[in-house]
Amino acid sequence: MLEEVQRLQTLIQKLTTQLQLVQTQNQELRTALEAKPKTVEDPAVREALELTNVRNQELEQELEQFQQRYISLQTDATALAERYGRLEQNAGELKNRFESLLVVRDQLKTERDKLASDQQQLGQKHQSLIKERDGLIVKNEHAKQKVEAIIQRLASLGQGLNPSQANQDIAALENPAAEEEGNQS
């Protein structure tokens, strides 16, 4: 885009130079025409004068075409310069948006890594809770078996139960952990 604007400016400069040259030639021809007497009787001079007038008109037409072309090129150059300015501005805005997207991307990466770490920790905690639950289920089953054993002993002993033994069994039922400690010792 910038190269095209520069090319157009170079072309405009060349056309301006050519226009000045044609204007100079035209002015010289006018001066020469005005310097000559108006009444020419020599047919060769008259023919040369007519040719000069024809050439002068052709040059004026070319000059007018060059001027129109110059105006058109100047308008195009102005439009291209404005378009280039807008493109530069848009490029700046796009660069800013891209940089803000990079910042958001980095924030999302950080958040994703944090969430992955949290998920891993929660997974480990979940596994430890499952193990703890399994251990508690085993203890619960063990305690259940002990309670059932005590109930069976009480049922088998029935009425002939010694009061001190009954008190121990009741205490064991109320506090299974104390019995576990007693059994472990």
Side-chain angles (χ1 to χ4, degrees):
M1 180 68 80
L2 182 61
E3 293 172 1
E4 190 173 330
V5 170
Q6 291 173 343
R7 185 181 62 80
L8 286 173
Q9 287 176 341
T10 304
L11 184 60
I12 288 171
Q13 289 173 350
K14 286 180 182 178
L15 288 174
T16 304
T17 305
Q18 287 178 354
L19 179 65
Q20 289 172 350
L21 180 64
V22 169
Q23 285 176 340
T24 304
Q25 289 174 349
N26 192 18
Q27 187 64 32
E28 288 172 0
L29 287 173
R30 280 187 186 156
T31 305
L33 183 61
E34 290 173 0
K36 290 189 180 185
K38 301 256 181 198
T39 56
V40 177
E41 296 182 13
D42 187 11
V45 172
R46 188 176 288 150
E47 187 177 318
L49 185 59
E50 287 177 10
L51 286 175
T52 303
N53 285 338
V54 168
R55 179 68 180 145
N56 190 21
Q57 288 175 350
E58 289 173 357
L59 288 175
E60 284 180 4
Q61 287 175 350
E62 283 183 31
L63 175 63
E64 187 177 323
Q65 289 174 351
F66 281 130
Q67 285 175 336
Q68 290 174 353
R69 180 94 191 267
Y70 174 77
I71 290 170
S72 172
L73 289 174
Q74 201 167 18
T75 303
D76 290 347
T78 303
L80 287 173
E82 289 173 0
R83 187 174 178 199
Y84 179 75
R86 286 191 308 268
L87 287 174
E88 277 187 333
Q89 183 180 7
N90 288 342
E93 291 172 5
L94 287 174
K95 181 182 176 187
N96 291 340
R97 285 179 58 197
F98 180 73
E99 288 173 353
S100 68
L101 286 174
L102 287 177
V103 168
V104 169
R105 182 200 65 181
D106 292 342
Q107 290 172 345
L108 289 173
K109 276 184 179 180
T110 304
E111 187 68 23
R112 182 198 65 201
D113 293 343
K114 181 181 176 233
L115 289 173
S117 173
D118 290 349
Q119 184 180 15
Q120 185 179 12
Q121 289 174 357
L122 288 173
Q124 290 172 350
K125 188 172 183 177
H126 182 261
Q127 290 299 323
S128 68
L129 288 173
I130 288 173
K131 286 180 184 177
E132 185 179 341
R133 183 196 68 189
D134 291 344
L136 290 174
I137 288 172
V138 168
K139 282 184 179 181
N140 190 26
E141 287 296 322
H142 186 56
K144 225 190 239 184
Q145 290 173 356
K146 283 186 179 182
V147 168
E148 287 174 358
I150 291 172
I151 291 172
Q152 285 178 356
R153 269 193 294 169
L154 287 174
S156 67
L157 290 177
Q159 294 289 337
L161 186 62
N162 169 346
S164 66
Q165 181 66 34
N167 288 338
Q168 286 178 350
D169 288 341
I170 290 172
L173 284 173
E174 289 175 352
N175 191 1
E179 185 178 323
E180 252 182 55
E181 289 176 7
N183 289 341
Q184 287 177 357
S185 7

